[in-house]
Amino acid sequence: MRAIIFDLDGTLFQTEKVAVPAFQQTFNSLQQHQLYDGSIPSETKIQSVFGMTHQEIWENLLPDADEKTREIADQWMLQEELKLFKEGKSECYPGVKETLQQLKKQGWTLMIASNGVGPYVRGALESQGILHWFREVYTAGDYETKSKTDLVRICIEKHGIQVGYMVGDRSSDVEAGKENRLPVIGCRYSGFPQFGESDELADADFVITTFSEILDHVR
């Protein structure tokens, strides 16, 4: 099988459009229920956790909280995100839909591998009307994986992928591709917020500044 495995947040989906207000409301709720007495994290701090597993997210944003509080925060966060999807707040990056259609016409099988949870990832794709374009969606929440590398390995083994690419915006995506012997296309879009460090994509085979540039690199 020939397949392209995509990360979601920061790759296909403008995460900050939904995640920032969802995180802010979650922390408001935690304060109101006296589960958190600190300040609401800044947008920069919130954006720094995009792409992490949910365990890593709450370890960073609620370092002093117990496991029960983190579970409550995670549940509230998901509810806020799904609510914002229904309100039409989600948005893909420019060129995503047109380029995915072109890749499908070229015979590529499209997959998703995300560190998010299933309802969020599928909700994001569904909100943009593109869920049906993907053969399968792999999430850390569904498979209880601790790394993107493990998740991509499951995807490759299950479908017998022999030729393909990994596409993502964080170092975890680069590592997942390299460890699984896939060329990596790193995404660092001009004019949009960058969620990782400046050197996170240093080991990617290609770095694109607009989504449509993928068509210049897949063969």
Side-chain angles (χ1 to χ4, degrees), residues 1-2 28-29 34 92 94-95 105 121 124 152 158 174 194:
M1 176 185 287
R2 297 192 315 145
N28 273 326
S29 297
Q34 299 182 335
C92 287
K105 287 180 181 178
V121 174
V152 170
K158 184 173 180 180
V174 177
Q194 308 297 330

Side-chain angles (χ1 to χ4, degrees), residues 11 30 56-57 61 66 75 82 85 87 102 120 136 154 159 174 183 188 190 205-206 218:
T11 300
L30 291 170
E56 292 168 337
I57 286 172
L61 296 183
D66 58 27
Q75 291 167 5
L82 297 179
F85 290 154
E87 294 175 358
Q102 187 63 32
Y120 164 76
E136 198 154 347
I154 291 169
H159 295 278
V174 177
R188 186 164 288 273
S190 300
D205 295 279
F206 312 101
V218 299

Side-chain angles (χ1 to χ4, degrees), residues 160-181:
I161 296 171
Q162 296 176 315
V163 176
Y165 294 84
M166 179 70 211
V167 183
D169 69 310
R170 300 300 300 264
S171 58
S172 58
D173 299 308
V174 177
E175 181 180 342
K178 293 295 184 181
E179 290 291 326
N180 288 291
R181 300 182 180 179

Side-chain angles (χ1 to χ4, degrees), residues 27 30-41 61-63 65 69:
F27 274 90
L30 291 170
Q31 289 174 333
Q32 291 168 9
H33 287 80
Q34 299 182 335
L35 294 172
Y36 177 73
D37 60 4
S39 58
I40 295 175
L61 296 183
L62 290 173
T69 300

